[in-house]
Amino acid sequence: MNRHPVPGSHSLPEPAAVRLDPALVRGGLIVGQEGREPLVLRLFRARPTRIGLFASGYVAALLGYRALAMGARVVVVTARQPSWSALVRAAPVGPAWVNLVPPDSPVPPAGTMLRPVLVIDDVGPVAKPRREAGPWQAVVTLRPYLTPQAVDPLRGHDLLVMQRMAAEAVGPVRAAFGLPADAAQWLPRMPDGTVALAERGRLRFVNLTPTQVEQMAFGPPTRDE
């Protein structure tokens, strides 16, 4: 889908090294490109990281695949196992890498610094997100769209990752996270291959820029489920 291009950065004017947890630092998961620079997310820490992902399954699978490259185990909690077949095929062979488990499954064991765990909670549009997590785990709660009604429960997340959203959701999100108005106006206008990362008071736009191998595995970026 053709959209107006999104400027490279809408973060508040602060030094690049100053970030809320989860910090954007050297050595971590590369989310994509912010302008000409890679944007790196410190996804795994000694305490859990909680991320709200409001995007297509494509974005979740791409982030899961990039977590595998960090040596992470990926656990997908889902009732839609066929939707995750591309990630399973792209992963190294063996159950130690990607596991698809049904809803209400036990919480995966805590990870370690050398073997962290990414839990993708494919909860659907109305189900309650998983709240338990352990050290060296990151829990990504996946929903297709961010609605005004879903804003308040998100205050406990460390980070929001969002694809293009409906215009009526912009006001509540901006108020809940103190986002700058000039940045928030772009949230309903992002191209399919762009995501917004929101921390309190900060909003950044990142191009996913899938590699050739990632495009072979998952295709081009899409906003559709």
Side-chain angles (χ1 to χ4, degrees):
M1 178 179 291
N2 294 324
R3 297 274 171 176
H4 298 290
V6 177
S9 176
H10 281 278
S11 58
L12 295 182
E14 295 189 2
V18 179
R19 299 285 179 261
L20 296 179
D21 281 340
L24 304 175
V25 296
R26 295 178 183 270
L29 186 143
I30 298 177
V31 179
Q33 296 286 125
E34 184 184 30
R36 296 183 179 181
E37 297 296 326
L39 190 144
V40 180
L41 176 65
R42 195 185 81 189
L43 189 63
F44 302 109
R45 311 173 293 176
R47 68 178 181 86
T49 299
R50 293 178 173 84
I51 295 175
L53 176 59
F54 294 87
S56 65
Y58 175 95
V59 178
L62 186 66
L63 295 180
Y65 182 74
R66 292 176 179 180
L68 291 172
M70 300 173 61
R73 175 188 172 210
V74 177
V75 179
V76 183
V77 183
T78 182
R80 309 181 303 157
Q81 295 199 6
S83 299
W84 296 92
S85 58
L87 178 60
V88 173
R89 289 194 302 267
V93 176
W97 292 100
V98 175
N99 297 106
L100 307 182
V101 300
D104 300 322
S105 296
V107 178
T112 67
M113 182 184 296
L114 297 179
R115 188 65 163 147
V117 177
L118 175 65
V119 180
I120 301 176
D121 235 348
D122 182 14
V123 298
V126 295
K128 292 183 179 180
R130 178 181 300 266
R131 298 188 181 276
E132 310 91 341
W136 301 105
Q137 281 189 352
V139 179
V140 174
T141 300
L142 171 64
R143 285 193 173 104
Y145 291 96
L146 179 54
T147 64
Q149 296 77 17
V151 170
D152 283 342
L154 298 179
R155 297 179 190 273
H157 286 73
D158 296 294
L159 182 74
L160 300 185
V161 180
M162 303 168 288
Q163 274 187 299
R164 186 172 61 248
M165 66 173 61
E168 58 267 24
V170 173
V173 171
R174 181 188 163 210
F177 289 88
L179 303 179
D182 61 337
Q185 68 173 326
W186 290 96
L187 291 172
R189 304 163 64 184
M190 293 184 290
D192 289 359
T194 299
V195 294
L197 276 65
E199 298 173 292
R200 192 159 302 280
R202 300 178 177 89
L203 184 63
R204 311 183 72 168
F205 295 94
V206 181
N207 294 317
L208 294 171
T209 56
T211 65
Q212 183 175 3
V213 171
E214 290 170 340
Q215 291 197 52
M216 291 176 61
F218 306 111
T222 178
R223 183 64 185 94
D224 299 325
E225 281 296 296

